[in-house]
């Protein structure tokens, strides 16, 4: 079964995030856990109280992730990411969100272990007859048929529809339609599902009189997503950065339109990879 752009537009809008993590959602709809999904999980952990994000000294300074409570997690994949970023799991340890040799090796290793943990978690849920092809994840590029998606079970297809239904709901929100607390709650999803620009537009339209501190962020006011997006390069290797630059989706600046043509194979595999459609270059979900 394939889900076309037209069918996507007929999906019911889902007003609340689905009952799964943002990384699981990214794996389902992008066929890959990329740097944006890992960054969204860091924000997810911040909302759970496991980490705090410290603001840099200037507007363009990198932000720092500080470990607060290693036990404030909602799954083994969360714990894997925390252990990768903070091997000693000592509250107060910190990692800077920037691309540098020492920091990048630590963050890249954490991302790779986290990606494997998410793939194992999704496999246990029975959402795939066959998991996405390693290294050949489809890119949700305009007018592109996808390859490497694997084969989605009916339960997986239903979850994909729920995730895309929530994405469609959030994408159609206008300034004034959402409260500040709900906008903050949706931040990890906006980043992981390619709606960060829209999130920033909605946050810029909020009433400044309601500018209370975000408890997991060091500064007063709304969270600044731009510096955090730039820090996603810390989770990427050189090949990922080159692929992102080649497709003009570097440093988290990845968006797609509701009318983009994409497909999901929801039946069991009966043929070779060539049956999946045209090959597409990966943008690594960011």
């Amino acid at each position: 079964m394939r889900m076309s752009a037209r069918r996507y537009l007929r999906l019911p809008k889902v007003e609340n995030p689905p009952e799964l993590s943002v990384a699981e959602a990214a794996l389902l709809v992008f066929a890959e856990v990329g740097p944006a999904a890992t960054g969204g999980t860091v924000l997810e952990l911040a909302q759970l109280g496991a980490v705090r994000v410290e603001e840099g000294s200037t507007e363009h300074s990198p932000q720092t992730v500080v470990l607060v409570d290693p036990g404030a997690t909602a799954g083994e994949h969360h714990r894997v990411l925390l252990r990768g970023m903070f091997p000693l799991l000592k509250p107060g340890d910190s990692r800077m969100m920037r691309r540098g040799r020492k920091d990048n090796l630590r963050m890249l290793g954490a991302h790779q272990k986290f990606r494997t943990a998410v793939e194992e978690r999704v496999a246990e849920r029975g959402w795939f007859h066959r998991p996405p092809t390693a290294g050949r994840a489809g890119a949700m590029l305009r007018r592109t048929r996808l390859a490497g998606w694997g084969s989605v079970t009916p339960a997986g297809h239903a979850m994909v529809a729920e995730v895309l239904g929530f994405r469609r709901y959030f994408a159609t929100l206008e300034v004034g339609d959402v409260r500040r607390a709900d906008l903050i709650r949706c931040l990890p999803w906006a980043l992981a599902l390619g709606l960060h620009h829209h999130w920033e537009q909605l946050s810029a339209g909020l009433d400044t009189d309601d500018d209370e501190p975000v408890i997991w962020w060091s500064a007063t006011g709304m969270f600044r997503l731009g510096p955090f997006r730039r820090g996603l390069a810390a989770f990427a290797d050189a090949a990922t950065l080159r692929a992102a630059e080649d497709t003009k989706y570097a440093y988290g600046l990845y968006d797609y339109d509701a009318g983009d043509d994409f497909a999901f194979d929801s039946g069991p595999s009966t043929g070779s990879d060539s049956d999946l459609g045209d090959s597409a270059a990966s943008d690594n979900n960011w």
Side-chain angles (χ1 to χ4, degrees):
M1 181 185 296
R2 292 193 175 274
M3 183 179 291
S4 65
R6 183 174 300 175
R7 184 176 178 187
Y8 166 68
L9 293 174
R10 292 200 299 265
L11 285 174
K13 295 179 182 179
V14 180
E15 296 187 6
N16 294 307
E19 294 295 326
L20 75 167
S21 67
V22 294
E24 292 173 286
L27 181 58
L28 276 172
V29 302
F30 291 102
E32 183 177 35
V33 179
T38 304
T41 302
V42 171
L43 297 176
E44 197 173 51
L45 286 166
Q47 294 184 353
L48 289 171
V51 299
R52 181 178 69 254
V53 181
E54 298 282 357
E55 182 69 2
S57 58
T58 68
E59 182 179 354
H60 297 288
S61 298
Q63 296 169 343
T64 301
V65 180
V66 181
L67 182 61
V68 176
D69 181 3
T73 58
E76 178 60 26
H77 62 308
H78 283 163
R79 290 185 282 274
V80 168
L81 181 58
L82 285 182
R83 284 195 298 268
M85 295 176 66
F86 311 100
L88 300 179
L89 292 181
K90 180 182 177 181
D93 284 352
S94 63
R95 290 286 175 265
M96 191 167 288
M97 293 286 291
R98 67 179 178 185
R99 181 166 176 80
R101 179 169 177 78
K102 183 177 179 180
D103 293 316
N104 181 237
L105 288 176
R106 173 85 65 191
M107 301 288 264
L108 176 59
H111 166 70
Q112 292 172 338
K113 293 176 182 177
F114 171 70
R115 179 178 59 198
T116 299
V118 174
E119 291 170 351
E120 292 174 351
R121 181 179 175 90
V122 169
E124 293 173 356
R125 290 179 177 265
W127 289 337
F128 286 103
H129 291 294
R130 181 190 61 198
T133 306
R136 290 191 55 204
M140 293 186 76
L141 304 177
R142 291 172 176 79
R143 298 176 297 280
T144 300
R145 288 289 179 181
L146 303 180
W149 283 95
S151 181
V152 185
T153 65
H157 197 282
M159 188 57 68
V160 168
E162 192 171 345
V163 171
L164 292 179
F166 173 72
R167 187 196 186 279
R168 185 177 173 226
Y169 163 76
F170 189 85
T172 56
L173 288 176
E174 297 181 358
V175 174
D177 288 346
V178 61
R179 298 179 304 171
R180 184 177 184 275
D182 292 332
L183 193 58
I184 294 173
R185 179 172 60 93
C186 293
L187 174 57
W189 289 89
L191 180 59
L193 296 181
L195 288 171
H196 44 271
H197 288 316
H198 189 58
W199 189 92
E200 290 174 322
Q201 292 170 358
L202 294 174
S203 65
L206 289 174
D207 188 350
T208 56
D209 293 337
D210 187 27
D211 211 17
E212 298 179 1
V214 179
I215 60 174
W216 45 265
W217 189 41
S218 62
T220 301
M222 283 297 286
F223 182 75
R224 291 200 300 121
L225 189 52
F228 189 84
R229 282 207 326 273
R230 291 193 294 272
L232 296 181
F235 293 119
D237 56 19
T240 297
L241 288 176
R242 283 196 298 270
E245 292 167 357
D246 289 344
T247 54
K248 297 182 174 57
Y249 295 132
Y251 299 98
L253 303 178
Y254 173 63
D255 276 319
Y256 63 91
D257 297 329
D260 292 349
D261 188 17
F262 54 91
F264 297 98
D265 176 10
S266 62
S269 174
T270 57
S272 65
D273 288 342
S274 62
D275 296 330
L276 294 173
D278 297 335
S279 178
S282 171
D283 69 350
N284 294 282
N285 181 24
W286 73 311

